[in-house]
Amino acid sequence: MDLQKFYIGGAWVTPHSTREFPVLNPATEEQTGTIILGDEADVNAAVAAAKGAFDSFSRTTREERIALLERLLEISKARREEMAQALSAEMGAPISMARDAQADSGIGHLEGILEALKMQALRETLPNGDILVREPIGVCGLITPWNWPVNQIALKVLPALATGSTCVLKPSEHTPVSAAVYAQMIHDAGYPAGVFNLIHGDGPTVGAGLSRHPDVDMMSFTGSTRAGVAVAKDSADTVKRVTLELGGKSPNLVFGDADLQEKVTASVLECMYNTGQSCDAPTRMLVERSCYDKVLKIAKAAAEGQTVGDPSQEGDHIGPMFDRIQFDRVQSMIQKGIDEGATVLAGGLGRPEGLDKGWYVRPTVFADVTNEMAIAQQEIFGPVLVIIPFEDEEDAIRIANDTPYGLAAYLQTGDPERAERVAARLRAGAVHINGGGFNYGSPFGGYKQSGNGREGGMLGLEDYQEVKTLHFG
């Protein structure tokens, strides 16, 4: 696959830009390829292709779009291993996890979107007799991150395809291979030329170019809160719809009546999963004072039992950070936690023993943290957990909500009534109770500075649709 080409208008084409960007393997630090970062002319070409395809694709029937999605589902299943290998090599996900979670997400979200599309009422009669219809929003600019590449591509591209919209995808420049595989799958599924387009580029050029473009009707962005704000500001002049899925610093409330050995161990491993590079990871563990010392012992053992290793090998280990910049940032945040006076319960600075090459980080747990510390307020995006004690239920809720973010929250308790009561007061888009995981087809998104809009399922479709009312005389 020629990574130096863009997919525009139904074909792999040579970009206008000639600006090169290296593709690196985070486990070996070796360059594995080169992409071209697009310019304004490339943005204009991709948007023009999407705009040109919208008139006809927007008038396809639901049945026609379902047939295309079902063909894409067949291809996604057939090429799952190829996708997993691409993900493992470009962003360092261990191959077992890349196959079972990263690549699987493209399949699972597609099944969820298909189910929602089949169920959605595209035309309904209101109680007052008027008719409400749902129509595709238009040309969509889609910007996706490197940490869950296919997961986020699927959550943005699929609802556009399902609703009859057209799109231009700008994946992270750090994970271009999986995006190219996805583009080829869409091509092979038989989508009309221009419905889906792929261009590589950086945020200030291609990301901003899409956001400011007058022919783009919607922007959907996943990434940092800082970059999300920039997308929203760039989109404001043309009053386009903007959906954002941004950062998180998710609290995990552990009460003394929980099964501590099981729930704390699982919580630590959940924080370390994907090398801590998940926006909804439970990175702030809030622990009831009565069981605090016991929890520290369990958390220490769990973190020390989390192995780190080569992502090309099968197993339940974690891999490296995705690049040097993120490795340095995580090291800086670990040092900051030490400087702030937190106790290093496990891990700490530097690479794990025996791993001298690659952007590997030691699974780290800080104890005796206060919620005012930088390590408790800032998103570290690495395998770093902070543990904060609380006195009672009210104190736990106060600390949990004392964050600019609101993507997810986690809750461990043996009391079902407490679970409902506390969950109702947590300002987050999802609350995971006693290990409950996310299911394909459910909406995903956050409160506060974690973004706006929802991805997945029925609500994910609605973000890509306009609502029109018909008033008959």
Side-chain angles (χ1 to χ4, degrees), residues 21-147:
F21 184 84
V23 181
L24 304 178
N25 183 314
T28 65
E29 304 175 37
E30 295 174 355
Q31 183 171 342
T32 57
T34 304
I35 63 169
I36 301 298
L37 298 180
D39 58 19
E40 183 180 2
D42 294 310
V43 172
N44 290 339
V47 172
K51 183 180 180 181
F54 178 71
D55 182 61
S56 58
F57 191 65
S58 64
R59 290 184 282 117
T60 54
T61 65
R62 181 189 347 222
E63 289 68 31
E64 288 172 325
R65 296 195 299 277
I66 287 173
L68 283 167
L69 289 170
E70 288 178 338
R71 175 61 181 148
L72 180 58
L73 179 59
E74 293 175 5
I75 295 170
S76 297
K77 290 178 178 179
R79 299 185 71 173
R80 175 173 171 167
E81 183 63 24
E82 179 185 357
M83 182 65 79
Q85 294 291 341
L87 289 161
S88 181
E90 69 185 356
M91 57 83 60
I95 186 58
S96 299
M97 182 265 194
R99 184 182 300 119
D100 297 341
Q102 293 270 7
D104 183 71
S105 66
I107 297 168
H109 286 308
L110 179 44
E111 292 173 336
I113 288 291
L114 265 168
E115 183 177 356
L117 179 60
K118 292 173 182 178
M119 292 174 56
Q120 189 183 43
L122 296 178
R123 182 184 180 97
E124 57 185 291
T125 302
L126 301 177
N128 63 9
D130 289 341
I131 304 296
L132 182 149
V133 294
R134 292 182 173 87
E135 299 179 342
I137 194 168
V139 176
C140 305
L142 312 175
I143 303 177
T144 56
W146 49 264
N147 61 320

